[in-house]
Amino acid sequence: MSFLSNLINGISLGSVYAIIALGYTMVYGIAKMLNFAHGDVIMIGCYAVFMTMSRQGWPPLLSVAFAVVVCTALGMIIEKIAYKPLRRATPLAVLITAIGVSYFLQNSALLIFGADTKSFTSVVAVPPIKLAGGALTIPGTAIVTVAVCLVIMVALTLFIKKTKAGQAMLAVSEDKDAAQLMGININGTISLTFAIGSGLAAIAGVLFCSTYPSLTPYTGSMPGIKAFTAAVFGGIGSVPGALLGGILLGVIEILGRAYISSQLSDAIVFAVLIIVLLVKPTGILGKKVSEKV
Amino acid sequence: MKKTTRDHLITFGLVVVVYLIVQLLIATGNMSSLMQGLLVPMCTYSIVAIGLNLCVGYLGELSIGHAGFMCVGAFSGAVVSKLLSETVTNGILLFVIALAVGTLMAALCGFLIGIPVLRLRGDYLAIVTLAFGEIIKNIINVLYIGKDSQGFHFSLSNPIEIEEEGLWLINGAKGIAKITHLSSFTIGVVLILISLFVVYNLVNSRSGRAIMAIRDNRISAESVGINITKYKLMAFTISAAIAGAGGVLYAHNLSTVTATPANFGYNMSIMILVFVVLGGIGSFRGSIIAAVLLTLLPELLRGLSDYRMLIYSIVLIAMMLFNWSPRMKDFRAAHSLKGRFGKKTAKEAE
């Protein structure tokens, strides 16, 4: 039974990673950049919920909606100010700028909210389900997290497949210049991608903090790195890959912590990543890129 | 004199001149103890940045795991100097032995990690180097090595018992304690000069040109008979070895060294990468200047207390936009003094 409950915790954590990984994967697919500041957008989303819900007493759903709006706006502003001027510069320059943005967000949060750890109140009010006569308990947060993750995945897949804006995103990620020739608004599409990715980050952040309720200005960076690893794991640029990578990573992390060594769980996660990449160099569901001579 | 030789001599001269100025400031009492405390870290960062620049600028592969090699160098160097501190009493000799061991261990790690990693490309390679860096840090945090009359004791993840008078070499997350203070600014500067000598000689040799050929076009390099794996591994291993040497210097400047996310995590790797990119990819002189300036900047802003890291991040973003944005490049070309008064390039003269 303890194995099952660990597995459930792993899937729940993995779902959070999957939602964050979506933001990385979409931005990478379109702008070909690693958005290192993504993890810190998560943290800002958590603070938005904390300040409105715990301090002002807003209803949970309203404050989550507020956080999504804040993060969406933040994502678009960051893209406009910091990344857009570097659109044709080397990828490394954009990477360092993203790191600068990440420092900026962390230190702004440090100044505004202080360095002390805030204890986050869970936004989920779903009671836990007890199975097998109380031997197996599924926490309410886990149920909500997995459900939200699945809803987001389905909605996003439908959005990309069925709407014009989604098709435009696919086209831009395939070939920017050709898409522009077809009359697609490149800047608008990239902005939209950042908006969606950052909005999802807010939701992921709230779910993460509902499970691990300590909030500091550095809360976002480790889940951010893990989620990026998950995105690479599943094949960067692929939406189902992000789901698969996220869930596998979460399960490996929790099972590794429970059965092998609690201190080595991060090392185990990264070791599995390395093995997967050595066997499949573009991730589990990544496209194989053939080289032109 | 050849242009490259002159360029190298300028870099060596710059380091020596700065060293002399700093010594003069210390001798006349014009340097605060806070600044003096920053001198060795500055040297450490410069050395690791030189190593990383070899990997990013000349091999053309992004590594965000160089803090891991620094960590290997720091811990293996410190273990050796601790073991030998009673038998070898000469401080310089002890440091040289620790340096040799630390550098070799980091090179070995770089070699072993390089074999699988260098098969990957671009961002995948970057993420795997990050993963290796985190694994190294994680393992050192659960590594226990002790020595007593029974001999050596090793353990991974489970704390071990050693005799009362035994000597702890690495005590898990507590790291290595009571390290002899062997690093000094002079040793740091000498190490910078040695690393510069190594990388300059490498990039101007036959091997260096092969490495750059692989960076510029892997397939054509392969088709003219360059052994890709050999040269990639060579550059990566040397880059790791230099980072390890930086780690040895870093460890012997502290009394206790622990592997925390702040000193050997990906944050450190990223900080070094910032030095490399800001100083100019492929320019070793730029790496050193960026490492020194960016280490000084937070200290110079100390008067602004809480706002200093915020200002640091804004300066970083602004510098990147100014340096790399295509629009700013045109702006600088149109308004630079060189463009107005200097020689016109062939393109402009047309």
Side-chain angles (χ1 to χ4, degrees):
Chain A
M1 279 307 154
S2 79
F3 174 77
L4 269 182
S5 93
N6 278 324
L7 193 67
I8 289 163
N9 286 337
I11 292 175
S12 156
L13 179 65
S15 306
V16 177
Y17 286 153
I19 303 173
I20 309 173
L22 273 181
Y24 275 109
T25 246
M26 284 167 61
V27 166
Y28 185 88
I30 287 202
K32 294 282 174 290
M33 65 164 287
L34 301 183
N35 185 10
F36 252 95
H38 195 67
D40 303 292
V41 174
I42 297 168
M43 174 269 299
I44 298 283
C46 291
Y47 271 108
V49 172
F50 177 78
M51 292 318 263
T52 51
M53 191 178 76
S54 304
R55 290 281 161 87
Q56 309 285 331
W58 291 16
L61 273 181
L62 184 65
S63 64
V64 171
F66 173 72
V68 171
V69 172
V70 167
C71 286
T72 308
L74 187 68
M76 288 167 82
I77 294 169
I78 292 172
E79 198 270 330
K80 271 275 174 314
I81 295 176
Y83 303 153
K84 201 176 155 205
L86 295 172
R87 189 93 20 104
R88 303 229 171 239
T90 71
L92 255 184
V94 193
L95 181 73
I96 304 291
T97 314
I99 291 164
V101 173
S102 156
Y103 285 166
F104 176 78
L105 292 179
Q106 284 176 6
N107 288 295
S108 312
L110 200 63
L111 281 178
I112 301 170
F113 306 112
D116 55 321
T117 307
K118 308 259 192 298
S119 84
F120 193 89
T121 336
S122 173
V123 292
V124 179
V126 177
I129 299 177
K130 285 197 191 328
L131 291 177
L136 178 66
T137 315
I138 306 176
T141 330
I143 302 166
V144 173
T145 307
V146 174
V148 168
C149 174
L150 289 177
V151 168
I152 288 175
M153 286 296 157
V154 172
L156 199 67
T157 314
L158 285 178
F159 173 77
I160 292 175
K161 290 234 165 94
K162 301 281 176 194
T163 64
K164 265 213 161 123
Q167 291 289 301
M169 280 161 76
L170 268 187
V172 174
S173 74
E174 196 80 20
D175 188 331
K176 221 184 262 178
D177 295 321
Q180 195 157 22
L181 288 175
M182 297 300 128
I184 290 171
N185 179 353
I186 304 278
N187 285 332
T189 309
I190 294 181
S191 250
L192 178 70
T193 312
F194 270 88
I196 295 176
S198 307
L200 292 181
I203 297 175
V206 170
L207 293 173
F208 185 78
C209 278
S210 297
T211 321
Y212 300 94
S214 62
L215 179 58
T216 70
Y218 307 106
T219 296
S221 63
M222 204 54 201
I225 289 283
K226 293 261 182 66
F228 173 60
T229 311
V232 175
F233 202 49
I236 199 154
S238 139
V239 172
L243 178 68
L244 187 67
I247 295 212
L248 276 177
L249 200 79
V251 170
I252 293 168
E253 185 180 334
I254 297 283
L255 292 186
R257 193 181 291 163
Y259 295 106
I260 303 177
S261 157
S262 60
Q263 295 151 310
L264 281 175
S265 70
D266 285 353
I268 295 163
V269 167
F270 287 122
V272 173
L273 168 83
I274 292 168
I275 294 165
V276 167
L277 283 187
L278 290 180
V279 179
K280 278 211 74 174
T282 50
I284 300 172
L285 297 181
K287 271 182 265 174
K288 198 172 183 300
V289 187
S290 54
E291 249 179 299
K292 282 183 205 149
V293 180
Chain B
M1 204 190 294
K2 270 189 356 199
K3 199 170 166 249
T4 46
T5 326
R6 202 175 60 205
D7 193 59
H8 298 173
L9 283 179
I10 291 174
T11 313
F12 285 116
L14 208 66
V15 175
V16 173
V17 167
V18 170
Y19 171 72
L20 291 177
I21 292 174
V22 169
Q23 290 295 15
L24 197 71
L25 282 177
I26 294 175
T28 53
N30 279 323
M31 187 172 259
S32 65
S33 58
L34 198 76
M35 281 295 171
Q36 288 187 31
L38 276 180
L39 291 173
V40 176
M42 254 181 222
C43 295
T44 310
Y45 300 148
S46 302
I47 294 164
V48 184
I50 291 171
L52 183 61
N53 206 341
L54 181 68
C55 183
V56 177
Y58 290 87
L59 182 62
E61 301 290 9
L62 175 62
S63 160
I64 29 182
H66 261 56
F69 299 127
M70 220 179 128
C71 188
V72 171
F75 275 82
S76 50
V79 163
V80 168
S81 76
K82 226 180 146 172
L83 259 182
L84 296 178
S85 61
E86 276 162 19
T87 40
V88 182
T89 44
N90 184 336
I92 303 274
L93 184 65
L94 188 59
F95 185 80
V96 170
I97 297 172
L99 183 70
V101 173
T103 312
L104 275 179
M105 285 302 286
L108 185 69
C109 275
F111 181 74
L112 292 178
I113 290 171
I115 295 171
V117 163
L118 292 170
R119 292 178 53 211
L120 301 166
R121 306 263 158 75
D123 297 315
Y124 292 97
L125 189 142
I127 197 74
V128 171
T129 54
L130 181 140
F132 267 116
E134 292 295 304
I135 290 176
I136 290 173
K137 188 194 79 194
N138 232 307
I139 288 180
I140 287 193
N141 257 324
V142 292
L143 187 65
Y144 295 83
I145 301 178
K147 187 195 169 203
D148 56 17
S149 55
Q150 310 276 316
F152 286 98
H153 298 265
F154 294 90
S155 166
L156 198 63
S157 89
N158 297 316
I160 42 170
E161 303 267 319
I162 60 166
E163 288 168 17
E164 195 85 348
E165 64 275 18
L167 177 70
W168 273 114
L169 294 173
I170 302 180
N171 192 356
K174 289 191 204 115
I176 306 178
K178 296 195 189 112
I179 301 170
T180 331
H181 192 285
L182 296 170
S183 298
S184 68
F185 182 50
T186 312
I187 291 181
V189 169
V190 170
L191 275 183
I192 291 182
L193 292 175
I194 295 173
S195 342
L196 277 176
F197 183 75
V198 170
V199 289
Y200 275 143
N201 270 304
L202 176 73
V203 296
N204 286 310
S205 67
R206 193 187 164 88
S207 314
R209 285 187 289 276
I211 291 165
M212 283 183 272
I214 296 170
R215 171 195 66 187
D216 292 337
N217 194 327
R218 194 181 57 83
I219 294 169
S220 20
E222 202 165 14
S223 67
V224 294
I226 292 174
N227 184 341
I228 304 277
T229 318
K230 177 184 154 195
Y231 286 108
K232 269 189 163 180
L233 262 180
M234 179 195 268
F236 196 74
T237 308
I238 294 174
S239 170
I242 294 174
V248 178
L249 183 70
Y250 181 88
H252 290 88
N253 190 40
L254 303 166
S255 58
T256 305
V257 57
T258 50
T260 61
N263 59 7
F264 294 125
Y266 64 93
N267 283 320
M268 175 65 104
S269 304
I270 284 172
M271 195 173 88
I272 305 286
L273 184 66
V274 168
F275 298 153
V276 170
V277 177
L278 215 56
I281 299 164
S283 157
F284 296 115
R285 194 195 308 158
S287 299
I288 299 176
I289 296 174
V292 170
L293 287 185
L294 286 187
T295 317
L296 274 180
L297 189 63
E299 292 307 317
L300 293 177
L301 294 172
R302 191 166 277 277
L304 300 163
S305 61
D306 291 346
Y307 292 93
R308 64 195 182 112
M309 285 315 287
L310 192 68
I311 293 174
Y312 176 87
S313 64
I314 294 173
V315 169
L316 183 63
I317 298 172
M319 285 207 279
M320 289 316 292
L321 292 182
F322 183 75
N323 270 338
W324 291 94
S325 143
R327 202 182 289 167
M328 284 311 287
K329 269 188 181 161
D330 295 344
F331 177 84
R332 275 182 299 159
H335 295 272
S336 74
L337 290 174
K338 227 180 188 173
R340 281 191 188 170
F341 304 111
K343 278 186 230 158
K344 284 206 167 126
T345 57
K347 201 177 164 194
E348 281 170 302
E350 269 170 22

